[in-house]
């Protein structure tokens, strides 16, 4: 793997999630410190129900934490308004899911351009930028095809192009290889690794797939809502967690 700067792209400090209250309270995530740097691939693994999606959702600003904070490029964005969070998600975060969620009536190029359409970028510029994004993930030759004419791996590449087209410095991927066969999945992982190396994007991958470790700069394991490092030590949480809110 390449040497990368140690600039933190996205960070959770003392991030905690408690669902419910009183006797019914479930601590989905105990206070956790976690960070991903520019140009780095961070892989989060753990059994079903361990808290991985909860952690990723808080880092992705789609679930508000019960305690702790989320910092993006050094800015504490935890308490931004709903509108501000929506804008931050659109401009600064890219999401990749197991299901590719492409729009069936649009070509690969138009699908990749959707975030720019939402951002009001003029058509010519957005198609040019979408073409660049498709090239980055190796599906330029399929630009004019609709999703149903693409293989699963090609559809996932288009979904990754869509996630990075607006220039997001951070890509958050939830089981990006789960619906792909082994070889196709490896191709997607290689593409994500390359985005980190060449484009300095920070890539966070939540997965059950042990092969994803092969592309990780760092790896953490989540068990029962607690995050441990590769060496098995529980992540040290330095900040104090004053207010824990219950949903
Ligand atoms: N909205 C919710 N309300 C109550 N409990 C929840 C809610 N969402 C998640 N939980 C609980 O929090 C814990 C962690 O769930 P989470 O979905 O983060 O696990 P996961 O590791 O992503 O699992 P999987 O790999 O199956 O997706 C589980 O015990 C789950 O039941």
């Amino acid at each position: 793997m390449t040497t990368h700067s140690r600039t933190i792209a996205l960070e959770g400090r003392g991030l905690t999630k408690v669902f419910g209250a009183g006797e019914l309270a479930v601590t989905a995530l105990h206070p956790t410190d976690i960070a991903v740097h520019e140009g780095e691939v961070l892989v989060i693994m753990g059994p079903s129900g361990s808290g991985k999606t909860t952690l990723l959702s808080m880092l992705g600003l789609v679930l508000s934490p019960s305690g702790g904070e989320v910092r993006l490029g050094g800015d504490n964005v935890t308490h931004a308004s709903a509108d501000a969070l929506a804008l931050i998600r659109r401009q600064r975060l890219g999401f990749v899911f197991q299901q590719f969620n492409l729009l069936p009536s649009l070509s690969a190029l138009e699908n990749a351009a959707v975030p720019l359409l939402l951002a009001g970028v003029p058509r010519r510029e957005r198609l040019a930028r979408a073409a660049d994004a498709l090239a980055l993930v190796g599906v330029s030759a399929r630009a004019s095809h609709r999703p149903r004419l693409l293989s699963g791996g090609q559809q996932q590449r288009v979904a990754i192009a869509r996630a990075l087209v607006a220039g997001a410095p951070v890509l958050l991927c939830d089981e990006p290889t789960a619906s792909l066969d082994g070889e196709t999945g490896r191709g997607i992982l290689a593409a994500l690794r390359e985005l980190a190396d060449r484009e300095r994007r920070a890539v966070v991958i939540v997965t059950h797939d042990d092969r994803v470790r092969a592309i990780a700069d760092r790896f953490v394991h989540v068990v029962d809502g607690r995050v441990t490092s590769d060496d098995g030590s529980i992540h040290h949480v330095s900040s104090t967690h004053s207010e824990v809110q219950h949903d």
Side-chain angles (χ1 to χ4, degrees), residues 43-216:
V43 172
I44 301 171
M45 293 191 72
S48 193
S50 57
K52 304 182 298 297
T53 300
T54 300
L55 174 57
L56 193 73
S57 302
M58 290 193 286
L59 290 174
L61 306 173
V62 289
L63 179 69
S64 61
S66 310
E69 59 189 46
V70 179
R71 290 179 166 264
L72 188 55
D75 303 329
N76 182 354
V77 293
T78 325
H79 303 296
S81 68
D83 284 352
L85 285 175
L87 196 64
I88 293 167
R89 279 196 299 271
R90 218 161 63 206
Q91 294 179 339
R92 297 170 67 180
L93 298 172
F95 294 89
V96 177
F97 301 100
Q98 175 177 347
Q99 302 304 332
F100 323 121
N101 301 323
L102 301 178
L103 295 169
S105 61
L106 300 185
S107 68
L109 185 68
E110 290 163 339
N111 263 288
V114 163
L116 302 177
L117 177 68
L118 297 174
V121 174
R123 180 178 165 80
R124 217 184 146 117
E125 182 189 337
R126 73 178 184 255
L127 294 182
R129 286 171 63 183
D132 288 346
L134 290 181
L136 275 177
V137 292
V139 278
S140 296
R142 296 285 181 274
S144 60
H145 291 57
R146 298 216 173 149
R148 71 184 163 79
L149 295 176
L150 302 177
S151 70
Q154 289 167 342
Q155 290 187 57
Q156 189 61 303
R157 284 172 193 266
V158 175
I160 294 170
R162 181 184 55 192
L164 57 85
V165 73
V170 181
L171 294 189
L172 299 169
C173 312
D174 197 353
E175 299 281 6
T177 57
S179 55
L180 302 173
D181 66 56
E183 198 181 327
T184 309
R186 275 191 292 279
I188 291 300
L189 294 177
L192 290 170
R193 178 70 255 174
E194 215 173 299
L195 288 171
D197 288 341
R198 280 203 316 196
E199 293 262 307
R200 316 295 302 153
R201 313 276 178 141
V203 179
V204 181
I205 304 175
V206 159
T207 187
H208 287 105
D209 182 352
D210 202 40
R211 291 166 316 173
V212 181
R213 288 186 71 157
I215 65 154

